[in-house]
Amino acid sequence: MTGAFFGPTDPPQRLLMGPGPINVYPRVLRAMSMDMLGQFDPEMTAYMNETMALYRQVFMTDNRRTFLIDGTARAGIEAALVSLVEPGTRILIVRAGRFGLLLSEIAGRIGADIRTIDLEWGEVASLEQIEAAIKEHRPRVFACIHGDTSTTMAQPLEGVGALCRKYDVLSYVDATATLGGNPVDVDGWGIDVVSAGLQKCMGGPPGSAPITISEQAAEFIFSRRHVEQGIRVAGTQDGQGVRIGSNYFDLAMVMDYWSEKRLNHHTEATTMLYGARECARIMLEEGLETRFDRHRRAGAAVTAGLRAMGLRVFGHDAYRMANVTGVWIPDRVDGEAVRLRMREDFEIEIGTAFGPLIGKIWRIGAMGYNAMKHKVLITLGALEVVLAGQGYPMPRGEAVDAALMAWDAGAADETIRK
Ligand SMILES: *Cc1c(COP(=O)(O)O)cnc(C)c1O
């Protein structure tokens, strides 16, 4: 074995204007450098309780069971699905992008009976479509993505919870991309389980997945506790009453750990807890409405700037998330060469795409700590220079002007509203 030794961990300061991760609020990084506490130290359990109270506000919910799953956003998705879905459980999933496909991939591993609403990337499901599919398939669980970063579209969720309740269906939503930048109105929508991550609009690092669980869903999950693997509970249907197929993601155990019982499960990732707590504090200090407005303005400015360059923005204006904008790569422009020049000349990262959109669109994010006027303007200015360097013909300087106007028009609207 050779004695390999490397330099210090000292990455360059890139401006991350892609679909995530993004630059982290300095206050969050500072909170994450604080010292450890013992798991049952009263200071630690107080932080845990405060974090739950903060995330209830972030998720706009009264759900008692609102806490963190340790792991990236996918850990929240997996915990929700493995705890709600048993082998053979019928689940209806909306698939309109990469993350909808991820839901069915995870449900497939659990052995679920999967039914889908398959849409073209960039489309969203209507309430009528969802109701028709629920009537046809009679699922136990409905699952969808709120904002799918792969397409930049946000699925409207108004009325979805009520619809699910009407047909006795438990609902799950992945709000990773939207939480912290777009309203995620858990109680207003009546969704049973919602999970997210920190590395998008919350302005934190990847590694913690806030989750919120309704009483009804918690009751169902607790009913699966203590059931031996493969042994059916008396009175349940085939495939039901099976023990949750994961220890780490067993939400019944994790809920007990975060409850006053404090039943030991994993060791709460102390540093991530500090970071998640600070992310929520920053958001609530700013105020939810101000926060959403800032992201709306950032999205409007990006869109206006791209259009002023003569570029075509991806998807429907009506359903676009505020925080990530897709844009068609123009003919005869090499998308990867543009991303390289953006990174090498300007230290700015913009996103590539997945699946059917790979090589066709770029994705430009402006979220959390990066949903700021100067960062949006700098990114658009750099993109103008890089595109011109690629021989793309366009009027120079107009994108930044247009973006500035769109940002400030947002501010003017706000003055009128007040
Ligand atoms: C970014 C994103 C994720 C990311 O999951 P990680 O495990 O944190 O990489 C999940 N879902 C959606 C909708 C996302 O936008």
Side-chain angles (χ1 to χ4, degrees):
M1 204 167 157
T2 59
F5 190 74
F6 304 103
T9 306
D10 186 20
Q13 286 203 307
R14 294 245 160 72
L15 178 57
L16 302 179
M17 301 298 278
I22 41 81
N23 300 90
V24 174
Y25 283 102
R27 268 173 59 183
V28 173
L29 291 177
R30 283 197 293 275
M32 294 179 72
S33 68
M34 295 298 154
D35 206 359
M36 293 301 105
L37 286 167
Q39 286 302 288
F40 302 105
D41 187 313
E43 300 284 348
M44 178 66 183
T45 51
Y47 277 151
M48 289 173 76
N49 289 344
E50 288 168 13
T51 302
M52 293 202 287
L54 291 166
Y55 276 90
R56 282 184 201 112
Q57 297 169 71
V58 168
F59 277 119
M60 302 189 224
T61 183
D62 291 328
N63 286 342
R64 195 149 50 108
R65 327 264 182 202
T66 303
F67 50 89
L68 307 174
I69 302 291
D70 293 344
T72 64
R74 186 177 299 233
I77 301 173
E78 192 135 2
L81 292 183
V82 78
S83 300
L84 287 176
V85 177
E86 304 176 336
T89 298
R90 187 168 296 171
I91 181 172
L92 175 65
I93 299 172
V94 180
R95 301 195 301 187
R98 177 177 190 235
F99 290 105
L101 290 168
L102 175 66
L103 296 182
S104 58
E105 202 273 345
I106 294 172
R109 286 173 191 252
I110 298 167
D113 172 8
I114 300 169
R115 308 297 165 98
T116 59
I117 300 176
D118 284 312
L119 305 170
E120 263 190 56
W121 285 39
E123 299 296 320
V124 296
S126 67
L127 208 52
E128 293 71 34
Q129 263 173 310
I130 296 172
E131 180 158 22
I134 288 178
K135 274 183 168 165
E136 182 188 344
H137 299 296
R138 291 293 174 164
R140 178 79 186 91
V141 178
F142 168 80
C144 73
I145 307 294
H146 183 210
D148 200 313
T149 28
S150 67
T151 67
T152 75
M153 294 298 118
Q155 167 66 46
L157 290 168
E158 201 71 59
V160 170
L163 187 63
C164 288
R165 296 243 151 103
K166 180 172 156 196
Y167 293 97
D168 196 24
V169 173
L170 288 169
S171 52
Y172 165 72
V173 168
D174 170 12
T176 303
T178 43
L179 190 74
N182 308 257
V184 174
D185 188 3
V186 173
D187 284 1
W189 295 335
I191 305 295
D192 287 304
V193 180
V194 180
S195 72
L198 298 185
Q199 78 268 34
K200 309 277 168 82
C201 301
M202 292 305 297
S208 179
I211 191 167
T212 185
I213 303 168
S214 71
E215 279 306 316
Q216 189 189 337
E219 219 171 89
F220 172 74
I221 294 165
F222 279 131
S223 77
R224 298 183 62 193
R225 194 167 41 181
H226 306 313
V227 175
E228 288 305 318
Q229 191 84 45
I231 298 176
R232 209 185 314 155
V233 178
T236 60
Q237 293 166 24
D238 212 13
Q240 288 190 325
V242 175
R243 185 166 71 167
I244 293 169
S246 166
N247 174 300
Y248 192 70
F249 292 134
D250 182 327
L251 282 180
M253 291 167 85
V254 182
M255 286 192 281
D256 279 344
Y257 176 56
W258 281 81
S259 78
E260 291 309 318
K261 294 185 200 160
R262 304 238 176 256
L263 294 185
N264 189 231
H265 180 243
H266 61 293
T267 309
E268 175 52 19
T270 317
T271 303
M272 289 312 304
L273 175 89
Y274 297 163
R277 181 178 177 278
E278 200 59 20
C279 284
R281 267 170 40 78
I282 291 171
M283 176 167 174
L284 297 171
E285 210 172 82
E286 183 175 0
L288 298 190
E289 278 315 313
T290 313
R291 178 92 164 197
F292 301 147
D293 191 62
R294 178 162 65 83
H295 282 82
R296 261 196 300 273
R297 269 196 252 178
V302 169
T303 305
L306 294 170
R307 286 187 169 143
M309 286 184 226
L311 298 173
R312 217 153 45 89
V313 172
F314 176 82
H316 306 284
D317 281 345
Y319 301 120
R320 191 169 295 122
M321 278 192 277
N323 50 300
V324 191
T325 307
V327 57
W328 293 96
I329 298 169
D331 289 344
R332 290 182 296 280
V333 167
D334 176 349
E336 283 309 291
V338 167
R339 292 197 333 117
L340 184 74
R341 293 267 54 83
M342 288 289 284
R343 189 173 71 237
E344 295 207 330
D345 295 337
F346 294 93
E347 297 282 349
I348 297 174
E349 178 182 278
I350 62 168
T352 175
F354 297 111
L357 298 174
I358 194 162
K360 296 191 177 151
I361 67 167
W362 294 301
R363 291 175 302 153
I364 300 179
M367 35 193 162
Y369 185 51
N370 287 353
M372 289 212 229
K373 190 178 185 175
H374 70 281
K375 295 183 182 181
V376 168
L377 298 180
I378 288 167
T379 302
L380 290 166
L383 186 60
E384 259 188 341
V385 172
V386 170
L387 276 176
Q390 293 277 312
Y392 174 73
M394 87 186 131
R396 293 286 283 274
E398 290 190 8
V400 176
D401 276 347
L404 196 52
M405 271 174 58
W407 188 292
D408 291 341
D413 285 352
E414 192 181 43
T415 326
I416 293 162
R417 274 209 305 270
K418 273 179 184 163

